[in-house]
Coordinates of all heavy atoms in Angstrom, one line a residue:
M54 N 0.8 -1.2 0.0 CA 0.0 0.0 0.0 C 0.9 1.2 0.0 O 1.8 1.3 0.8 CB -0.9 0.0 1.3 CG -1.7 1.2 1.4 SD -2.8 1.0 2.8 CE -3.0 2.7 3.3
N55 N 0.6 2.2 -0.8 CA 1.3 3.4 -0.9 C 0.4 4.5 -0.5 O -0.8 4.5 -0.8 CB 1.8 3.7 -2.3 CG 2.9 2.7 -2.7 OD1 3.7 2.4 -1.9 ND2 2.9 2.3 -3.9
I56 N 0.9 5.5 0.2 CA 0.2 6.7 0.6 C 0.9 7.9 0.0 O 2.1 8.0 0.1 CB 0.1 6.9 2.1 CG1 -0.6 5.7 2.8 CG2 -0.5 8.2 2.5 CD1 -0.6 5.7 4.3
V57 N 0.2 8.7 -0.7 CA 0.7 9.9 -1.3 C 0.4 11.1 -0.5 O -0.7 11.4 -0.2 CB 0.2 10.1 -2.8 CG1 0.7 11.3 -3.4 CG2 0.5 8.8 -3.6
I58 N 1.5 11.8 -0.1 CA 1.3 13.1 0.6 C 1.7 14.2 -0.4 O 2.7 14.2 -1.0 CB 2.3 13.2 1.8 CG1 2.2 12.0 2.7 CG2 2.2 14.5 2.5 CD1 0.9 11.9 3.4
S59 N 0.7 15.1 -0.6 CA 0.9 16.1 -1.6 C 2.1 17.0 -1.2 O 2.4 17.2 0.0 CB -0.3 17.0 -1.7 OG -0.5 17.8 -0.6
D60 N 2.7 17.6 -2.2 CA 3.8 18.6 -2.0 C 3.3 19.7 -1.1 O 4.1 20.3 -0.3 CB 4.4 19.1 -3.3 CG 5.1 18.0 -4.1 OD1 5.6 17.0 -3.5 OD2 5.2 18.1 -5.3
E61 N 2.1 20.1 -1.3 CA 1.5 21.3 -0.6 C 1.5 20.9 0.9 O 1.9 21.8 1.8 CB 0.1 21.5 -1.0 CG -0.6 22.7 -0.3 CD -2.0 22.9 -0.8 OE1 -2.5 22.1 -1.6 OE2 -2.6 23.8 -0.3
I62 N 1.1 19.7 1.3 CA 1.1 19.4 2.7 C 2.5 19.2 3.2 O 2.8 19.7 4.4 CB 0.3 18.0 2.9 CG1 -1.2 18.3 2.6 CG2 0.5 17.5 4.3 CD1 -2.1 17.1 2.6
L63 N 3.4 18.6 2.5 CA 4.8 18.5 2.9 C 5.4 19.8 3.1 O 6.1 20.1 4.1 CB 5.5 17.7 1.8 CG 6.9 17.1 2.2 CD1 6.8 16.3 3.5 CD2 7.5 16.4 1.1
E64 N 5.2 20.8 2.2 CA 5.7 22.1 2.3 C 5.2 22.8 3.6 O 5.9 23.5 4.3 CB 5.4 23.0 1.1 CG 6.3 22.6 -0.1 CD 6.1 23.5 -1.3 OE1 5.6 24.7 -1.1 OE2 6.3 23.0 -2.4
A65 N 3.9 22.6 3.8 CA 3.2 23.3 5.0 C 3.8 22.7 6.3 O 3.8 23.5 7.3 CB 1.7 23.1 4.9
S66 N 4.2 21.5 6.3 CA 4.8 20.9 7.5 C 6.2 21.4 7.8 O 6.7 21.2 8.9 CB 4.8 19.4 7.4 OG 5.8 18.9 6.5
H67 N 6.9 21.9 6.8 CA 8.3 22.4 6.9 C 9.2 21.2 7.3 O 10.1 21.3 8.0 CB 8.4 23.5 7.9 CG 7.6 24.7 7.6 ND1 7.9 25.6 6.6 CD2 6.4 25.2 8.1 CE1 7.0 26.5 6.5 NE2 6.1 26.3 7.4
L68 N 8.8 20.0 6.8 CA 9.6 18.8 7.0 C 10.1 18.2 5.7 O 9.4 18.4 4.7 CB 8.8 17.8 7.7 CG 8.3 18.1 9.1 CD1 7.3 17.1 9.6 CD2 9.4 18.2 10.1
T69 N 11.2 17.5 5.7 CA 11.6 16.7 4.5 C 10.7 15.5 4.5 O 10.1 15.1 5.5 CB 13.1 16.3 4.6 OG1 13.2 15.4 5.7 CG2 14.0 17.5 4.8
P70 N 10.7 14.8 3.4 CA 10.0 13.5 3.3 C 10.4 12.5 4.4 O 9.6 11.9 5.1 CB 10.2 13.0 1.9 CG 10.5 14.2 1.1 CD 11.2 15.1 2.0
G71 N 11.7 12.4 4.7 CA 12.2 11.5 5.7 C 11.7 12.0 7.1 O 11.4 11.1 7.9
E72 N 11.8 13.3 7.4 CA 11.3 13.8 8.7 C 9.8 13.6 8.9 O 9.4 13.2 10.0 CB 11.6 15.3 8.8 CG 13.1 15.6 8.9 CD 13.4 17.1 8.7 OE1 12.6 17.8 8.1 OE2 14.5 17.5 9.2
F73 N 9.1 13.7 7.8 CA 7.6 13.5 7.8 C 7.3 12.0 8.2 O 6.5 11.8 9.1 CB 7.0 13.8 6.5 CG 5.5 14.1 6.5 CD1 5.0 15.3 6.8 CD2 4.6 13.0 6.3 CE1 3.7 15.6 6.8 CE2 3.3 13.2 6.3 CZ 2.8 14.5 6.5
R74 N 8.1 11.1 7.6 CA 7.9 9.7 7.9 C 8.2 9.4 9.4 O 7.5 8.7 10.1 CB 8.8 8.8 7.0 CG 8.1 8.5 5.7 CD 8.9 7.4 4.9 NE 10.3 7.8 4.7 CZ 10.7 8.6 3.6 NH1 9.8 9.0 2.8 NH2 11.9 8.9 3.5
Q75 N 9.3 10.0 9.8 CA 9.7 9.9 11.2 C 8.7 10.4 12.2 O 8.4 9.7 13.2 CB 11.0 10.6 11.5 CG 12.2 9.9 10.9 CD 13.5 10.7 11.1 OE1 13.5 11.7 11.8 NE2 14.6 10.2 10.5
E76 N 8.1 11.5 11.9 CA 7.1 12.1 12.8 C 5.8 11.2 12.8 O 5.3 11.0 13.9 CB 6.7 13.5 12.3 CG 7.7 14.5 12.4 CD 8.2 14.7 13.9 OE1 7.4 14.7 14.8 OE2 9.4 14.9 14.1
I77 N 5.4 10.6 11.7 CA 4.3 9.7 11.7 C 4.6 8.5 12.5 O 3.8 8.0 13.3 CB 3.9 9.4 10.2 CG1 3.3 10.6 9.5 CG2 2.9 8.2 10.2 CD1 3.1 10.4 8.1
A78 N 5.8 7.9 12.3 CA 6.3 6.7 13.0 C 6.3 7.0 14.5 O 5.9 6.1 15.3 CB 7.6 6.3 12.5
L79 N 6.9 8.1 14.9 CA 6.9 8.4 16.3 C 5.5 8.5 16.9 O 5.3 8.0 18.0 CB 7.7 9.8 16.5 CG 9.2 9.8 16.3 CD1 9.7 11.2 16.2 CD2 9.8 9.0 17.5
H80 N 4.6 9.2 16.2 CA 3.3 9.3 16.8 C 2.6 7.9 16.9 O 2.0 7.6 17.9 CB 2.5 10.2 15.9 CG 1.0 10.3 16.3 ND1 0.6 11.0 17.4 CD2 -0.1 9.7 15.7 CE1 -0.7 10.8 17.5 NE2 -1.1 10.1 16.5
L81 N 2.7 7.1 15.9 CA 2.1 5.8 15.9 C 2.7 4.9 17.0 O 2.0 4.1 17.6 CB 2.1 5.1 14.5 CG 1.3 5.8 13.5 CD1 1.5 5.2 12.1 CD2 -0.2 5.8 13.8
F82 N 4.0 5.0 17.2 CA 4.6 4.3 18.3 C 4.1 4.8 19.6 O 3.7 4.0 20.5 CB 6.1 4.3 18.2 CG 6.8 3.7 19.4 CD1 6.9 2.3 19.5 CD2 7.2 4.4 20.5 CE1 7.4 1.7 20.6 CE2 7.8 3.8 21.6 CZ 7.9 2.4 21.6
E83 N 4.2 6.1 19.8 CA 3.8 6.7 21.1 C 2.4 6.4 21.5 O 2.1 6.2 22.7 CB 4.0 8.2 21.0 CG 3.9 8.9 22.4 CD 4.3 10.4 22.3 OE1 4.3 11.0 21.2 OE2 4.7 10.9 23.4
T84 N 1.5 6.3 20.5 CA 0.1 6.0 20.8 C -0.2 4.5 20.9 O -1.4 4.1 21.0 CB -0.8 6.7 19.8 OG1 -0.5 6.2 18.5 CG2 -0.7 8.2 19.8
G85 N 0.8 3.7 20.7 CA 0.7 2.3 20.9 C 0.1 1.6 19.6 O -0.3 0.4 19.7
R86 N 0.1 2.2 18.5 CA -0.4 1.7 17.3 C 0.6 0.8 16.5 O 0.3 0.0 15.8 CB -0.9 2.8 16.4 CG -1.9 3.7 17.0 CD -3.2 3.1 17.3 NE -4.0 3.2 16.0 CZ -5.2 2.8 15.8 NH1 -5.9 2.3 16.8 NH2 -5.8 2.9 14.7
L87 N 1.9 1.1 16.7 CA 3.0 0.4 16.1 C 4.1 0.0 17.1 O 4.3 0.7 18.1 CB 3.7 1.2 15.0 CG 2.9 1.4 13.7 CD1 3.8 2.3 12.8 CD2 2.5 0.2 13.0
T88 N 4.7 -1.2 16.9 CA 5.8 -1.6 17.7 C 7.0 -0.9 17.2 O 7.0 -0.2 16.2 CB 6.1 -3.1 17.5 OG1 6.4 -3.3 16.1 CG2 4.9 -4.0 17.9
V89 N 8.1 -1.0 18.0 CA 9.4 -0.3 17.6 C 9.8 -0.8 16.2 O 10.3 0.0 15.4 CB 10.5 -0.6 18.7 CG1 11.8 -0.2 18.1 CG2 10.2 0.1 19.9
G90 N 9.7 -2.1 16.0 CA 10.1 -2.7 14.7 C 9.4 -2.1 13.5 O 10.0 -1.7 12.6
Y91 N 8.1 -2.1 13.6 CA 7.3 -1.5 12.5 C 7.5 0.0 12.4 O 7.5 0.5 11.3 CB 5.8 -1.9 12.7 CG 5.5 -3.3 12.3 CD1 4.9 -4.1 13.2 CD2 5.8 -3.8 11.1 CE1 4.6 -5.5 12.9 CE2 5.5 -5.1 10.7 CZ 4.9 -5.9 11.6 OH 4.6 -7.2 11.3
A92 N 7.5 0.7 13.5 CA 7.7 2.1 13.5 C 9.1 2.5 12.8 O 9.2 3.4 12.0 CB 7.6 2.7 14.9
S93 N 10.1 1.7 13.2 CA 11.4 2.0 12.6 C 11.4 1.7 11.1 O 12.1 2.4 10.3 CB 12.5 1.2 13.3 OG 12.4 -0.2 13.1
K94 N 10.7 0.7 10.7 CA 10.5 0.4 9.2 C 9.8 1.6 8.5 O 10.2 2.0 7.4 CB 9.8 -0.9 9.0 CG 10.6 -2.1 9.2 CD 9.8 -3.4 8.9 CE 10.6 -4.6 9.3 NZ 9.8 -5.8 9.0
L95 N 8.8 2.1 9.1 CA 8.0 3.2 8.6 C 8.9 4.4 8.5 O 8.9 5.2 7.5 CB 6.8 3.5 9.4 CG 6.0 4.7 9.0 CD1 5.4 4.6 7.6 CD2 4.8 5.0 9.9
A96 N 9.7 4.7 9.5 CA 10.7 5.8 9.5 C 11.9 5.6 8.6 O 12.7 6.5 8.5 CB 11.1 6.1 11.0
E97 N 12.0 4.4 8.1 CA 13.1 4.0 7.3 C 14.5 4.2 8.0 O 15.4 4.8 7.5 CB 13.1 4.7 5.9 CG 11.9 4.4 5.1 CD 11.9 5.1 3.7 OE1 12.7 6.1 3.5 OE2 11.1 4.6 2.9
M98 N 14.5 3.7 9.3 CA 15.6 3.8 10.1 C 15.9 2.4 10.8 O 14.9 1.6 11.0 CB 15.4 4.7 11.3 CG 15.0 6.1 10.9 SD 14.5 7.1 12.4 CE 16.1 7.3 13.1
P99 N 17.2 2.1 11.0 CA 17.4 0.9 11.8 C 16.8 1.0 13.2 O 16.7 2.1 13.7 CB 19.0 0.8 11.9 CG 19.5 1.8 10.9 CD 18.4 2.8 10.7
P100 N 16.3 -0.2 13.8 CA 15.7 -0.1 15.1 C 16.5 0.6 16.2 O 15.9 1.4 16.9 CB 15.5 -1.6 15.5 CG 15.4 -2.3 14.1 CD 16.3 -1.5 13.2
N101 N 17.8 0.5 16.2 CA 18.6 1.1 17.2 C 18.6 2.7 17.0 O 18.5 3.4 18.0 CB 20.0 0.6 17.3 CG 20.1 -0.8 17.9 OD1 19.2 -1.1 18.7 ND2 21.1 -1.5 17.6
A102 N 18.6 3.1 15.8 CA 18.5 4.5 15.5 C 17.2 5.1 15.9 O 17.1 6.2 16.4 CB 18.8 4.8 14.0
F103 N 16.1 4.3 15.6 CA 14.8 4.8 16.0 C 14.7 4.8 17.5 O 14.1 5.8 18.1 CB 13.7 3.8 15.5 CG 12.3 4.3 15.7 CD1 11.8 5.4 14.9 CD2 11.5 3.8 16.6 CE1 10.5 5.9 15.1 CE2 10.2 4.3 16.8 CZ 9.7 5.3 16.0
R104 N 15.3 3.9 18.2 CA 15.3 3.9 19.7 C 16.0 5.2 20.2 O 15.6 5.8 21.2 CB 15.9 2.7 20.3 CG 15.1 1.5 20.2 CD 15.7 0.3 21.0 NE 15.0 -0.9 20.7 CZ 15.3 -1.8 19.8 NH1 16.4 -1.6 19.0 NH2 14.6 -2.9 19.6
Q105 N 17.1 5.6 19.5 CA 17.8 6.8 19.9 C 16.9 8.0 19.7 O 16.9 9.0 20.5 CB 19.1 6.9 19.1 CG 20.2 6.0 19.6 CD 20.7 6.3 21.0 OE1 20.2 7.2 21.6 NE2 21.6 5.5 21.5
L106 N 16.2 8.0 18.6 CA 15.2 9.1 18.3 C 14.2 9.2 19.4 O 13.8 10.3 19.8 CB 14.6 8.9 16.9 CG 13.7 10.0 16.4 CD1 14.4 11.4 16.4 CD2 13.1 9.7 15.1
L107 N 13.7 8.1 19.8 CA 12.7 8.0 20.9 C 13.3 8.7 22.2 O 12.7 9.5 22.9 CB 12.2 6.6 21.2 CG 11.4 5.9 20.2 CD1 11.2 4.4 20.6 CD2 10.0 6.6 20.1
K108 N 14.5 8.3 22.4 CA 15.2 8.9 23.6 C 15.4 10.4 23.5 O 15.2 11.1 24.5 CB 16.6 8.2 23.8 CG 17.4 8.6 25.0 CD 18.7 7.8 25.1 CE 19.5 8.2 26.3 NZ 20.7 7.5 26.4
Q109 N 15.8 10.8 22.3 CA 16.0 12.3 22.1 C 14.7 13.0 22.3 O 14.7 14.2 22.8 CB 16.5 12.6 20.7 CG 17.9 12.1 20.5 CD 18.3 12.2 19.0 OE1 17.5 12.6 18.1 NE2 19.5 11.8 18.7
R110 N 13.6 12.4 22.0 CA 12.2 13.0 22.1 C 11.6 12.8 23.4 O 10.5 13.2 23.7 CB 11.3 12.5 21.0 CG 11.8 12.8 19.6 CD 11.6 14.3 19.3 NE 11.9 14.6 17.9 CZ 11.0 14.6 16.9 NH1 9.7 14.4 17.2 NH2 11.3 14.8 15.7
H111 N 12.3 12.1 24.3 CA 11.7 11.8 25.6 C 10.5 10.9 25.5 O 9.5 11.1 26.3 CB 11.5 13.0 26.5 CG 12.8 13.8 26.6 ND1 13.8 13.5 27.4 CD2 13.1 15.0 26.0 CE1 14.8 14.4 27.3 NE2 14.4 15.3 26.5
I112 N 10.4 10.0 24.6 CA 9.3 9.1 24.4 C 9.7 7.8 25.0 O 10.7 7.2 24.5 CB 8.9 9.0 22.9 CG1 8.5 10.3 22.3 CG2 7.8 7.9 22.8 CD1 8.3 10.3 20.8
P113 N 9.0 7.3 26.0 CA 9.5 6.0 26.7 C 9.3 4.9 25.7 O 8.4 4.8 25.0 CB 8.5 5.9 27.9 CG 7.4 6.8 27.6 CD 7.9 7.9 26.7
L114 N 10.3 4.0 25.9 CA 10.3 2.7 25.1 C 9.2 1.8 25.5 O 8.6 1.1 24.8 CB 11.7 2.1 25.1 CG 11.9 0.9 24.2 CD1 11.7 1.3 22.7 CD2 13.4 0.4 24.4
Y115 N 8.9 1.8 26.8 CA 7.9 1.0 27.4 C 6.9 1.9 28.2 O 7.3 2.8 28.9 CB 8.5 0.0 28.4 CG 9.5 -0.9 27.7 CD1 10.9 -0.7 27.9 CD2 9.1 -1.9 26.9 CE1 11.8 -1.5 27.3 CE2 10.1 -2.7 26.3 CZ 11.4 -2.5 26.5 OH 12.4 -3.3 25.9
N116 N 5.6 1.5 28.2 CA 4.6 2.2 29.0 C 4.3 1.3 30.1 O 3.6 0.2 29.9 CB 3.4 2.5 28.2 CG 3.6 3.7 27.3 OD1 4.3 4.6 27.7 ND2 3.0 3.7 26.1
Y117 N 4.7 1.6 31.3 CA 4.4 0.8 32.5 C 3.5 1.7 33.4 O 3.9 2.7 34.0 CB 5.8 0.6 33.2 CG 5.7 -0.4 34.4 CD1 5.6 -1.8 34.1 CD2 5.7 0.0 35.7 CE1 5.6 -2.7 35.2 CE2 5.6 -0.9 36.7 CZ 5.6 -2.2 36.5 OH 5.5 -3.1 37.5
D118 N 2.2 1.3 33.5 CA 1.3 2.1 34.2 C 0.9 1.5 35.5 O 1.5 0.4 35.9 CB 0.0 2.3 33.3 CG -0.7 1.0 32.9 OD1 -0.4 0.0 33.5 OD2 -1.6 1.1 32.0
V119 N 0.0 2.1 36.2 CA -0.4 1.7 37.6 C -1.0 0.3 37.5 O -0.7 -0.6 38.4 CB -1.4 2.7 38.2 CG1 -2.0 2.2 39.5 CG2 -0.8 4.0 38.4
A120 N -1.8 0.0 36.5 CA -2.3 -1.4 36.4 C -1.2 -2.4 36.3 O -1.3 -3.5 36.9 CB -3.3 -1.5 35.2
D121 N -0.2 -2.1 35.5 CA 0.9 -3.1 35.4 C 1.6 -3.3 36.8 O 2.0 -4.4 37.2 CB 2.0 -2.6 34.4 CG 1.4 -2.6 33.0 OD1 0.6 -3.5 32.7 OD2 1.9 -1.7 32.2
L122 N 1.8 -2.2 37.5 CA 2.4 -2.2 38.8 C 1.6 -3.1 39.8 O 2.1 -3.9 40.5 CB 2.6 -0.8 39.4 CG 3.2 -0.8 40.8 CD1 4.6 -1.4 40.9 CD2 3.2 0.7 41.3
E123 N 0.3 -2.8 39.8 CA -0.6 -3.6 40.7 C -0.6 -5.1 40.4 O -0.6 -5.9 41.3 CB -2.0 -3.0 40.6 CG -2.2 -1.7 41.2 CD -3.5 -1.0 41.0 OE1 -4.3 -1.5 40.1 OE2 -3.8 0.0 41.7
L124 N -0.6 -5.4 39.1 CA -0.5 -6.8 38.7 C 0.8 -7.4 39.2 O 0.9 -8.6 39.7 CB -0.6 -7.0 37.2 CG -0.6 -8.4 36.7 CD1 -1.7 -9.3 37.3 CD2 -0.7 -8.4 35.1
D125 N 1.9 -6.7 39.0 CA 3.2 -7.2 39.5 C 3.2 -7.4 41.0 O 3.8 -8.4 41.5 CB 4.4 -6.2 39.0 CG 4.7 -6.3 37.6 OD1 4.3 -7.3 36.9 OD2 5.4 -5.4 37.1
L126 N 2.7 -6.5 41.7 CA 2.6 -6.6 43.2 C 1.8 -7.8 43.6 O 2.2 -8.6 44.5 CB 2.1 -5.3 43.8 CG 3.0 -4.1 43.7 CD1 2.3 -2.9 44.2 CD2 4.3 -4.4 44.5
K127 N 0.7 -8.0 42.9 CA -0.2 -9.1 43.2 C 0.6 -10.5 42.9 O 0.5 -11.4 43.7 CB -1.4 -9.1 42.3 CG -2.4 -10.2 42.5 CD -3.5 -10.1 41.5 CE -4.4 -11.4 41.5 NZ -5.4 -11.4 40.5
N128 N 1.3 -10.5 41.8 CA 2.0 -11.7 41.5 C 3.2 -12.0 42.5 O 3.4 -13.1 42.8 CB 2.6 -11.7 40.1 CG 1.5 -11.8 39.0 OD1 0.4 -12.4 39.3 ND2 1.7 -11.2 37.9
L129 N 3.8 -10.9 42.9 CA 4.9 -11.1 43.9 C 4.3 -11.6 45.2 O 4.9 -12.5 45.9 CB 5.6 -9.7 44.1 CG 6.6 -9.3 43.0 CD1 7.1 -7.9 43.3 CD2 7.8 -10.3 43.0
K130 N 3.2 -11.1 45.7 CA 2.6 -11.6 46.9 C 2.2 -13.0 46.8 O 2.4 -13.8 47.7 CB 1.3 -10.7 47.2 CG 1.7 -9.4 47.7 CD 0.4 -8.6 48.0 CE 0.7 -7.1 48.4 NZ -0.5 -6.3 48.6
H131 N 1.7 -13.4 45.6 CA 1.3 -14.8 45.4 C 2.5 -15.7 45.4 O 2.5 -16.8 46.0 CB 0.6 -14.9 44.0 CG 0.2 -16.3 43.7 ND1 -0.8 -17.0 44.3 CD2 0.7 -17.2 42.7 CE1 -0.9 -18.2 43.8 NE2 0.0 -18.4 42.9
L132 N 3.6 -15.3 44.8 CA 4.8 -16.1 44.8 C 5.4 -16.3 46.2 O 6.0 -17.4 46.4 CB 5.9 -15.5 43.8 CG 5.5 -15.5 42.3 CD1 6.6 -14.7 41.5 CD2 5.5 -17.0 41.8
R133 N 5.3 -15.4 47.0 CA 5.9 -15.5 48.4 C 5.1 -16.6 49.2 O 5.7 -17.1 50.2 CB 5.8 -14.2 49.1 CG 6.8 -13.2 48.6 CD 6.8 -11.9 49.4 NE 7.6 -10.9 48.7 CZ 7.4 -9.6 48.8 NH1 6.5 -9.2 49.6 NH2 8.2 -8.8 48.2
R134 N 3.9 -16.9 48.8 CA 3.2 -17.9 49.5 C 3.7 -19.3 49.3 O 3.5 -20.3 50.0 CB 1.7 -17.9 49.1 CG 1.0 -16.6 49.6 CD -0.4 -16.6 49.3 NE -1.0 -15.4 49.7 CZ -2.2 -15.0 49.3 NH1 -3.0 -15.7 48.5 NH2 -2.7 -13.8 49.7
W135 N 4.4 -19.5 48.2 CA 5.0 -20.9 47.8 C 6.1 -21.2 48.7 O 7.1 -21.1 48.9 CB 5.3 -20.9 46.3 CG 4.0 -20.9 45.5 CD1 3.4 -19.8 45.1 CD2 3.2 -22.0 45.2 NE1 2.3 -20.1 44.4 CE2 2.1 -21.5 44.4 CE3 3.2 -23.3 45.4 CZ2 1.1 -22.3 43.9 CZ3 2.2 -24.1 44.9 CH2 1.2 -23.6 44.1

């Protein structure tokens, strides 16, 4: 599948085609729509370079929320019973 971005939109964004791809990939990764692997492919970057870009933008590689912490604590309590 190919997506065509008009020159007008690209010019309005003040980004190069590569930067535009990176911005889309970053957004899709940050919102949980793409994995690092797929986002790096979309950005046309090696995975390690994409991870560095995430770091530069202060975008966490993993989202660890309160629900994850609660589940981990529950599992730890359960394991101590054995």
Side-chain angles (χ1 to χ4, degrees):
M54 175 176 154
N55 292 319
I56 298 173
V57 177
I58 306 297
S59 72
D60 290 337
E61 180 183 6
I62 291 173
L63 193 58
E64 283 181 30
S66 73
H67 301 287
L68 298 169
T69 66
E72 291 168 338
F73 198 88
R74 277 191 299 278
Q75 287 177 7
E76 293 301 321
I77 293 169
L79 286 166
H80 174 74
L81 292 174
F82 174 79
E83 189 171 23
T84 58
R86 307 287 278 185
L87 287 180
T88 64
V89 169
Y91 284 123
S93 66
K94 285 181 184 181
L95 177 60
E97 296 181 345
M98 301 174 73
N101 285 338
F103 188 76
R104 285 186 190 97
Q105 286 294 358
L106 183 58
L107 291 171
K108 185 177 179 180
Q109 291 169 1
R110 297 290 188 89
H111 305 285
I112 299 171
L114 190 56
Y115 304 102
N116 283 324
Y117 189 79
D118 60 14
V119 174
D121 293 327
L122 176 62
E123 289 172 347
L124 180 60
D125 285 347
L126 290 173
K127 178 183 171 187
N128 289 334
L129 284 171
K130 287 178 185 177
H131 177 71
L132 289 173
R133 288 185 190 154
R134 292 182 185 168
W135 292 91

